[in-house]
């Protein structure tokens, strides 16, 4: 059944109101950690031995943010150790480019130039006041997106280390922490170490977001029940009009607890609100852990999620222990089934042709992904205006805000493990990355698996090594574990490599790659941490050849040719038997790999001068 959904304006308001509830427990108190932190870089790796966590760091920095945003780090020079392959080294020796290598006029052609650059250890420190009424509560330090390895101290006690590119890093503080003033110290290291995802992976490369150091997104301390929901996963069953709810409960390692859990659900972005009858079940925790599997009847009148009617439910789970402890959690989900049937994709039993683009993590103002729902809704709405319904995230996974926005907008997502295991890395050779890919994709599905838009997943991009054997096992693992989405080894043109047990093959992947001439009028938009030194170089070079006055003409004619070429590619995909989609490279420009101006939109997702591009692309895409 399809029910008309609410307006985009109301969707945005709803998303912003509930974004925190989707990912954190509703019961408890929190303290924001945003603002001024003490700071110091540690290029010589001397801070641990010198016990910097027990001292007061001398500088200051604003978080959330990156070092580059705060103008911390090293100046850009010819000796800057970039994270990424330089495919054409002639810049460093070609006589014609000599003037762009001089101090004061340094212009890098490979990618956008950050204000500062730093790879290594950096220390961050902040004092907090723990309230007296937090005694007996479970207290968690939550950092939504540190980049990337993080060690944490509370006062002079180390409480843990985490390393992930895909989800928030959460650290449980000691249970015996006393009320009053305490010091939180972070040691963040953005170097590639034993776990090498590949220097060109879009999770960390200077080709795209950049290998930044810092923390962005939500930052807070959260106090909650010591008996709590560790995880809730919802598995829709449209045929039975029900949802299987898998619950993981936790408490202290030796704690036993019993009580009741109540589950309820209702739609929240539809004109007619559907309420699901609550059910209550008992639970029993032994030795600090318990799992439950509950069938939740959704009622005779269910609503389904797809690109046309992205109707969503909110599951509410509440726990009441016999000793009075309470916890609650809310989860956003959609009643949808995304499957491969024969040689076709189907959404809720209806064929769907995937019209996609590749997202390469281009955020030139900040150098890191947008962390708010509104920014991602803008991206998906623009993509829809161009006739698209699908997005692949090339060797990276977006933040939770992207999944919330895609759910609300109706957009099919394919996030990937944060790896392009090539150019210095490989998979299947017994290196630490082999297990890391499993760890990261498990973190992705645990944190984002309930979002209806999370329809497909791949290990990452273009690997080398014993890839067929490794990815065959990877596919088998995920097909057995979680049937809510489709899996492929790697998503790229020709399905590099071809894995027999892929649930889908990507033939029209990274399709197009047609470049247009630079739009020099775009340069004024770069008001943030990245500067278009590459554009400046191209503009000067054009002037040196007495063609500066033809720049707009070159943009217009190359832009029209680019759009015609993309139109031709899309038409070929539409008329090719057994093709069921495409992934463009890409709708917007990709600033890396020597400045790949492959988009009909710029890196800011804005139209270029040649509006004909948008008209040609959307004209053919919306036909289907």
């Amino acid at each position: 059944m399809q029910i008309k959904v609410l307006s985009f304006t109301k969707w945005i308001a709803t998303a912003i109101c509930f974004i925190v509830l989707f990912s954190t427990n509703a019961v408890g108190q929190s303290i924001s950690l945003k603002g001024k932190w003490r700071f110091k870089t540690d290029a010589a790796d001397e801070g641990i031995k010198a016990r910097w966590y027990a001292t007061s760091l001398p500088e200051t920095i604003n978080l959330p943010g990156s070092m580059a945003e705060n103008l911390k780090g090293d100046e850009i020079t010819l000796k800057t150790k970039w994270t990424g392959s330089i495919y054409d080294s002639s810049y460093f020796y070609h006589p014609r480019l000599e003037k762009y290598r001089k101090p004061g006029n340094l212009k890098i052609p490979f990618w956008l130039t950050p204000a500062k650059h730093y790879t290594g250890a950096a220390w961050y420190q902040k004092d907090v006041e723990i309230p007296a009424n937090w005694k007996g509560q479970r207290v968690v330090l939550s950092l939504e997106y540190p980049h990337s390895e993080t060690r944490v101290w509370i006062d002079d006690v180390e409480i843990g280390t985490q390393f992930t590119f895909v989800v928030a890093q959460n650290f449980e503080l000691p249970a015996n922490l006393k009320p009053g003033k305490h010091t939180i110290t972070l040691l963040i290291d953005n170097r590639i170490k034993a776990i090498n995802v590949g220097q060109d992976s879009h999770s960390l490369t200077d080709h795209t977001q950049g290998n930044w150091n810092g923390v962005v997104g939500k930052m807070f301390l959260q106090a909650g029940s010591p008996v709590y929901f560790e995880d809730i996963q919802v598995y829709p069953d449209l045929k039975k009009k029900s949802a299987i709810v898998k619950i993981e409960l936790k408490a202290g390692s030796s704690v036993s607890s019993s009580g009741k859990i109540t589950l309820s659900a209702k739609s929240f972005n539809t004109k007619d609100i559907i309420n699901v009858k609550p059910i209550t079940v008992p639970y029993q925790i032994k030795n600090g852990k318990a799992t439950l599997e509950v069938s939740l009847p959704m009622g005779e009148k269910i609503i389904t999620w797809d690109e046309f009617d992205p109707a969503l439910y909110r599951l509410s789970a509440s726990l009441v222990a016999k000793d009075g402890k309470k916890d609650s959690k809310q989860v956003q989900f959609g009643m949808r089934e995304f499957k491969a049937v024969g040689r076709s994709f189907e959404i809720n039993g209806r064929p769907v042709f995937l019209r996609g683009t590749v997202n390469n993590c281009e955020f030139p103002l900040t150098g890191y992904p947008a962390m708010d729902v509104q920014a991602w809704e803008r991206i998906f709405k623009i993509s829809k205006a161009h006739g698209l319904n699908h997005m692949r995230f090339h060797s990276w996974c977006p933040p939770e805000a992207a999944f919330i926005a895609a759910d609300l907008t109706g957009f099919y997502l394919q996030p990937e493990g944060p790896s392009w295991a090539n150019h210095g890395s490989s998979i299947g050779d017994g290196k630490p990355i082999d297990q890391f890919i499993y760890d990261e994709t498990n973190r992705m599905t645990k944190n984002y698996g309930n979002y209806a838009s999370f329809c497909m997943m791949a290990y990452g991009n273009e690997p080398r090594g014993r890839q067929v054997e490794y990815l065959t096992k990877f596919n088998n693992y995920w097909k057995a574990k979680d049937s809510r989405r489709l899996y492929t080894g790697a998503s790229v043109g020709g399905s590099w490599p071809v894995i027999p047990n892929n649930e889908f093959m990507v033939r029209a992947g990274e399709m197009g790659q047609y470049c247009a001439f630079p739009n020099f009028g775009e340069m004024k938009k770069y008001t943030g941490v990245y500067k278009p030194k590459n554009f400046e170089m191209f503009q000067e070079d054009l002037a040196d050849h007495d063609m500066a006055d033809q720049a707009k003409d070159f943009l217009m004619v190359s832009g029209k040719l680019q759009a015609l070429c993309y139109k031709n590619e899309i038409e070929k995909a539409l008329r090719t038997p057994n093709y069921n989609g495409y992934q463009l490279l890409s709708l917007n420009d990709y600033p890396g790999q020597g400045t790949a101006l492959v988009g009909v939109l710029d890196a800011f997702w804005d139209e270029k001068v040649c509006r004909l591009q948008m008209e040609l692309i959307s004209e053919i895409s919306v036909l289907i």
Side-chain angles (χ1 to χ4, degrees):
M1 178 179 182
Q2 297 177 353
I3 297 179
K4 185 176 180 181
V5 296
L6 299 177
S7 68
F8 269 96
T9 302
K10 292 182 179 179
W11 283 358
I12 293 172
T14 301
I16 293 173
C17 288
F18 288 97
I19 181 172
V20 174
L21 294 181
F22 297 147
S23 54
T24 64
N25 290 347
V27 174
Q29 301 167 280
S30 65
I31 297 174
S32 173
L33 298 177
K34 296 181 177 180
K36 187 173 291 187
W37 287 61
R38 298 189 294 276
F39 174 79
K40 189 177 182 180
T41 57
D42 188 8
D45 291 318
E46 58 186 353
I48 295 176
K49 185 177 181 180
R51 293 171 51 87
W52 286 6
Y53 49 82
T55 67
S56 182
L57 302 179
E59 302 176 40
T60 59
I61 193 170
N62 290 314
L63 296 180
S66 68
M67 281 180 56
E69 277 186 302
N70 285 270
L71 299 179
K72 304 286 189 180
D74 302 321
E75 297 293 335
I76 308 303
T77 71
L78 289 176
K79 295 183 178 180
T80 295
K81 294 183 178 179
W82 301 103
T83 302
S85 300
I86 295 176
Y87 297 105
D88 182 359
S89 62
S90 63
Y91 164 78
F92 293 99
Y93 59 81
H94 198 292
R96 186 168 64 88
L97 304 178
E98 181 180 1
K99 69 175 182 176
Y100 304 114
R101 300 192 292 265
K102 292 182 177 180
N105 192 47
L106 190 67
K107 292 180 170 60
I108 304 294
F110 317 120
W111 40 62
L112 298 171
T113 302
K116 298 279 187 176
H117 190 273
Y118 182 82
T119 52
W123 294 75
Y124 304 78
Q125 195 174 71
K126 190 175 185 67
D127 297 329
V128 295
E129 192 79 21
I130 301 298
N133 63 359
W134 280 19
K135 184 178 180 180
Q137 300 291 302
R138 173 177 176 258
V139 181
V140 175
L141 166 65
S142 184
L143 308 172
E144 186 174 8
Y145 192 11
H147 199 272
S148 44
E149 179 189 79
T150 309
R151 294 178 69 172
V152 177
W153 287 261
I154 183 77
D155 301 324
D156 61 352
V157 177
E158 185 172 1
I159 63 173
T161 300
Q162 293 187 28
F163 176 47
T164 176
F165 293 102
V166 299
V167 298
Q169 297 184 17
N170 296 313
F171 300 85
E172 189 166 339
L173 273 57
N176 60 354
L177 191 67
K178 295 180 179 180
K181 182 180 177 181
H182 294 274
T183 300
I184 296 172
T185 303
L186 313 177
L187 172 57
I188 299 178
D189 198 329
N190 60 332
R191 285 172 291 192
I192 295 176
K193 297 182 177 180
I195 299 175
N196 184 359
V197 298
Q199 65 178 348
D200 296 316
S201 304
H202 293 180
S203 55
L204 84 170
T205 185
D206 285 310
H207 282 286
T208 56
Q209 63 173 302
N211 191 8
W212 53 278
N213 190 307
V215 185
V216 299
K218 297 185 286 290
M219 306 175 63
F220 56 87
L221 288 175
Q222 179 88 21
S225 171
V227 179
Y228 59 95
F229 291 102
E230 168 66 16
D231 189 27
I232 298 176
Q233 297 294 324
V234 182
Y235 295 78
D237 189 326
L238 301 189
K239 185 176 181 180
K240 294 181 179 180
K241 296 183 178 181
S242 66
I244 299 298
V245 183
K246 297 183 179 181
I247 301 171
E248 183 180 353
L249 303 175
K250 277 193 175 181
S253 59
S254 60
V255 172
S256 295
S257 175
S258 61
K260 294 182 178 180
I261 291 174
T262 299
L263 301 177
S264 63
K266 68 176 182 179
S267 63
F268 66 89
N269 67 330
T270 56
K271 182 179 180 181
D272 300 319
I273 302 300
I274 306 297
N275 287 285
V276 176
K277 185 178 180 181
I279 62 171
T280 300
V281 297
Y283 78 86
Q284 180 75 44
I285 293 178
K286 294 182 179 180
N287 297 320
K289 294 182 180 180
T291 58
L292 294 83
E293 187 171 306
V294 183
S295 178
L296 179 65
M298 299 298 292
E300 284 300 311
K301 186 180 181 181
I302 69 169
I303 52 176
T304 57
W305 180 95
D306 62 19
E307 63 185 284
F308 304 107
D309 295 283
L312 295 165
Y313 288 89
R314 181 172 297 112
L315 174 78
S316 297
S318 61
L319 176 152
V320 180
K322 289 183 178 179
D323 63 2
K325 293 184 177 67
K326 296 180 180 180
D327 193 36
S328 66
K329 192 177 181 72
Q330 293 189 320
V331 172
Q332 175 179 303
F333 73 100
M335 292 294 288
R336 71 103 175 105
E337 292 178 346
F338 188 83
K339 295 181 176 180
V341 180
R343 300 180 69 91
S344 299
F345 294 114
E346 289 188 359
I347 179 76
N348 306 328
R350 188 172 61 208
V352 58
F353 190 96
L354 295 180
R355 310 179 301 278
T357 185
V358 177
N359 187 297
N360 297 297
C361 199
E362 310 93 342
F363 294 90
L365 293 180
T366 60
Y368 54 76
M371 305 301 291
D372 62 290
V373 175
Q374 186 174 0
W376 282 102
E377 279 199 306
R378 174 180 177 267
I379 289 172
F380 296 134
K381 288 169 67 176
I382 290 171
S383 298
K384 271 200 161 185
H386 286 75
L388 305 185
N389 62 3
H390 166 55
M391 188 170 288
R392 173 204 170 197
F393 295 87
H394 182 304
S395 61
W396 77 289
C397 178
E400 186 172 28
F403 293 92
I404 295 173
D407 269 19
L408 294 168
T409 308
F411 218 73
Y412 309 119
L413 302 188
Q414 182 194 307
E416 297 182 352
S419 178
W420 182 352
N422 214 316
H423 307 152
S425 183
S426 63
I427 55 174
D429 293 328
K431 300 174 183 176
I433 187 179
D434 288 351
Q435 182 58 45
F436 186 67
I437 293 299
Y438 281 90
D439 294 341
E440 288 286 77
T441 50
N442 269 288
R443 285 186 273 260
M444 290 162 58
T445 57
K446 178 179 179 179
N447 285 269
Y448 312 136
N450 291 313
Y451 291 111
S453 53
F454 189 175
C455 294
M456 307 161 83
M457 187 170 74
Y459 117 85
N461 187 66
E462 297 176 1
R464 70 180 182 93
R466 300 178 65 184
Q467 47 195 300
V468 174
E469 178 183 349
Y470 177 87
L471 294 176
T472 297
K473 292 178 180 178
F474 175 85
N475 283 345
N476 285 336
Y477 173 86
W478 278 110
K479 287 193 288 185
K481 183 171 183 177
D482 195 337
S483 62
R484 290 176 294 180
R485 65 195 61 85
L486 298 178
Y487 304 97
T488 193
S491 178
V492 73
S495 284
W496 172 354
V498 175
I499 308 297
N501 66 344
N502 281 342
E503 291 189 292
F504 63 97
M505 298 281 193
V506 180
R507 299 298 185 189
E510 299 188 9
M511 189 175 79
Q513 305 190 27
Y514 298 108
C515 287
F517 200 79
N519 177 16
F520 298 128
E522 175 189 326
M523 293 161 59
K524 62 180 179 291
K525 296 182 182 180
Y526 291 85
T527 58
V529 72
Y530 275 88
K531 302 303 178 184
K533 298 293 185 180
N534 46 354
F535 279 59
E536 293 176 14
M537 178 180 178
F538 306 150
Q539 188 178 44
E540 288 181 32
D541 193 56
L542 192 68
D544 288 345
H545 289 81
D546 300 319
M547 292 187 288
D549 60 339
Q550 294 180 265
K552 186 174 181 180
D553 293 334
F554 291 151
L555 170 64
M556 295 297 287
V557 296
S558 63
K560 182 174 181 179
L561 177 60
Q562 179 191 55
L564 289 170
C565 289
Y566 274 118
K567 181 175 182 287
N568 177 61
E569 294 281 359
I570 293 171
E571 288 175 333
K572 287 194 299 182
L574 290 172
R575 65 174 178 257
T576 300
N578 297 319
Y579 261 39
N580 288 280
Y582 57 80
Q583 295 172 342
L584 301 176
L585 185 61
S586 61
L587 184 60
N588 64 321
D589 282 343
Y590 172 36
Q593 292 193 9
T595 311
L597 305 179
V598 295
V600 298
L601 304 178
D602 63 24
F604 300 87
W605 292 86
D606 294 329
E607 292 179 40
K608 299 180 182 178
V609 175
C610 186
R611 183 174 178 83
L612 177 63
Q613 293 176 310
M614 177 179 176
E615 295 171 350
L616 287 170
I617 295 297
S618 59
E619 171 190 334
I620 187 63
S621 293
V622 298
L623 289 177
I624 56 174

